Amino acid sequence: MAELRRKEYAETRPEVRDDILDRVRWGTLGLVDAEGWPLVRPMNFARVGESVYFHGARKGEKAERAGGPASFVAAEPLAWIPSHWRHPEMACPATTYYRSVMVRGPLRLVEDLSEKASALQKMMEKYQPGGGHAAIAAGDPRYRGPLEAIQVTSLSLAEATTKVKVGQNLEPAARRRVFDALLARAEPGDYETACRMAQADPALAAGAPLLPDQEDGLTFVDRPEQVRAAELKGLLDTTYWAAARPLPAVERLLRGSQVVVAALDGGKLAGFARAVTDGAVHAWIFDVVVDPERRGRGIGHRVMRRLLAHPNLRSVRTVRLDTRDRMTFYERLGFVSIGVKNSAGYQATMMTLKRE
């Protein structure tokens, strides 16, 4: 494994490496041509165990260079850090925080149909998580021809290097200023970057409403990919407003909501709420729901407290929602009624959060 020059950015935990490779949508594969020139190609990829896999045509650059040296980089940009967060005049402190995995080794040509099928199925799960296709299997006669025709190559992760740059080089006071500024700016990616900073320096999390966290045996999370859409649909099916909502719509609303908070009980979805917001002036809260078998434990209140305290929502001036029969619950959270409207065949009370 190659060593990083900036050792403070080195990350050795395999689970962090795997998380980056599973989240990043594409990377760059580097090869060397016959004249010694670099060939750099953007690639879709998937990780299976201790290897990353690529696919392509039987004839081409990768096929011709199988067995030769290769390198691959998958990078996840987190946030741009402006220079003035650290110096009032100089541009030098401006930088980007990011996570990356760099891999090098011989490019291996995969011939075994079962291994091919496993790699390509993992790729489908990554890029088409909603399914909608027959699972790729070597024993399925429909896939035998395509599996024989397609080329699959792989790189072992034995020489992978993981880098996480989130301000570890800064003095504690400067790191705190950047952390606080990220939470205050609240642009897309800022909250997650602050969470990454707190993972590297747990002292930053003191007093900050960062997720995940735990309370009363529940784990609270706020990344859409941490919520299984099928489980969420199961909860929504118990409500009067979303009982007929199809699974593809649930998948889209998870991806499209700027703030989601979920409570997990033993890994199972116990409660959920989401908000759509411009991050500054307006926000609407939707789909506040608790598993009927787990009601009476204060799960809904805990989810809502975390939703309203989320950095992407806590500075929004006007936060509103509609409800037919839960006015008292929301009043305890600081909401007040502002009117009544007819919505989807029932009468709903419009409520807004009363903030200082």
Side-chain angles (χ1 to χ4, degrees), residues 12-333:
T12 59
R13 290 173 294 176
E15 60 268 26
V16 176
R17 177 203 68 188
D18 294 349
D19 183 59
I20 297 170
L21 292 172
D22 293 345
R23 284 167 58 86
V24 172
R25 306 290 289 178
W26 65 275
T28 52
L29 178 66
L31 304 169
V32 180
D33 71 10
E35 298 179 357
W37 289 92
L39 292 171
V40 181
R41 299 290 182 265
M43 298 292 296
N44 293 332
F45 69 99
R47 179 191 66 85
V48 182
E50 291 296 308
S51 297
V52 288
Y53 289 83
F54 318 98
H55 76 289
R58 275 280 187 182
K59 295 182 179 180
E61 296 168 340
K62 294 189 296 299
E64 295 169 359
R65 288 158 183 82
S71 62
F72 178 71
V73 177
E76 180 186 30
L78 296 175
W80 171 258
I81 308 301
S83 60
H84 55 80
W85 284 4
R86 292 183 50 209
H87 195 284
E89 297 177 350
M90 299 299 292
C92 306
T95 190
T96 297
Y97 285 178
Y98 64 93
R99 305 194 304 166
S100 67
V101 176
M102 296 160 279
V103 189
R104 68 181 186 184
L107 186 66
R108 183 173 69 92
L109 188 62
V110 178
E111 297 288 3
D112 181 76
L113 293 189
S114 295
E115 186 179 359
K116 276 189 178 183
S118 176
L120 294 172
Q121 175 60 27
K122 187 64 177 288
M123 199 168 294
M124 290 299 296
E125 292 170 3
K126 179 176 182 177
Y127 293 102
Q128 192 172 308
H133 64 90
I136 301 173
D140 189 330
R142 295 171 295 177
Y143 283 121
R144 185 167 187 88
L147 287 172
E148 291 175 344
I150 199 169
Q151 180 207 76
V152 174
T153 52
S154 75
L155 272 175
S156 168
L157 295 176
E159 291 197 64
T161 302
T162 305
K163 181 177 182 179
V164 178
K165 180 182 177 182
V166 286
Q168 302 97 315
N169 60 314
L170 302 180
E171 293 296 324
R175 193 178 306 134
R176 167 64 66 176
R177 286 197 301 272
V178 172
F179 176 82
D180 291 342
L182 283 166
L183 293 179
R185 185 173 67 177
E187 291 183 356
D190 286 351
Y191 173 69
E192 183 166 352
T193 305
C195 291
R196 301 295 183 197
M197 293 185 70
Q199 289 171 0
D201 179 5
L204 292 171
L210 300 179
L211 299 180
D213 70 353
Q214 294 185 333
E215 182 183 0
D216 193 28
L218 300 167
T219 299
F220 295 88
V221 298
D222 61 354
R223 280 167 43 186
E225 60 267 30
Q226 294 170 308
V227 180
R228 289 188 284 270
E231 282 193 33
L232 177 56
K233 174 174 168 49
L235 292 192
L236 292 174
D237 283 345
T238 68
T239 70
Y240 61 84
W241 69 86
R245 193 172 290 169
L247 182 59
V250 176
E251 292 169 344
R252 288 196 298 273
L253 71 83
L254 270 173
R255 294 192 299 268
S257 299
Q258 287 88 347
V259 186
V260 302
V261 173
L264 305 179
D265 185 7
K268 181 177 175 57
L269 185 63
F272 177 86
R274 68 185 181 98
V276 177
T277 178
D278 58 23
V281 181
H282 297 290
W284 282 91
I285 293 175
F286 300 98
D287 296 330
V288 182
V289 60
V290 174
D291 179 5
E293 296 181 359
R294 291 173 168 81
R295 290 174 185 168
R297 293 171 50 186
I299 294 175
H301 186 80
R302 291 183 174 101
V303 167
M304 282 296 297
R305 278 196 293 108
R306 285 165 173 81
L307 187 81
L308 295 172
H310 195 284
N312 290 348
L313 202 61
R314 66 184 180 189
S315 299
V316 175
R317 188 174 65 198
T318 303
V319 181
R320 292 182 177 174
L321 56 84
D322 296 338
T323 184
R324 186 175 71 178
D325 53 7
R326 299 287 287 168
M327 289 76 76
T328 302
F329 169 78
Y330 291 114
E331 286 169 354
R332 290 199 297 268
L333 290 162

Side-chain angles (χ1 to χ4, degrees), residues 325-349:
D325 53 7
R326 299 287 287 168
M327 289 76 76
T328 302
F329 169 78
Y330 291 114
E331 286 169 354
R332 290 199 297 268
L333 290 162
F335 285 84
V336 296
S337 300
I338 57 172
V340 176
K341 71 175 185 180
N342 291 318
S343 175
Y346 60 87
Q347 195 174 69
T349 297

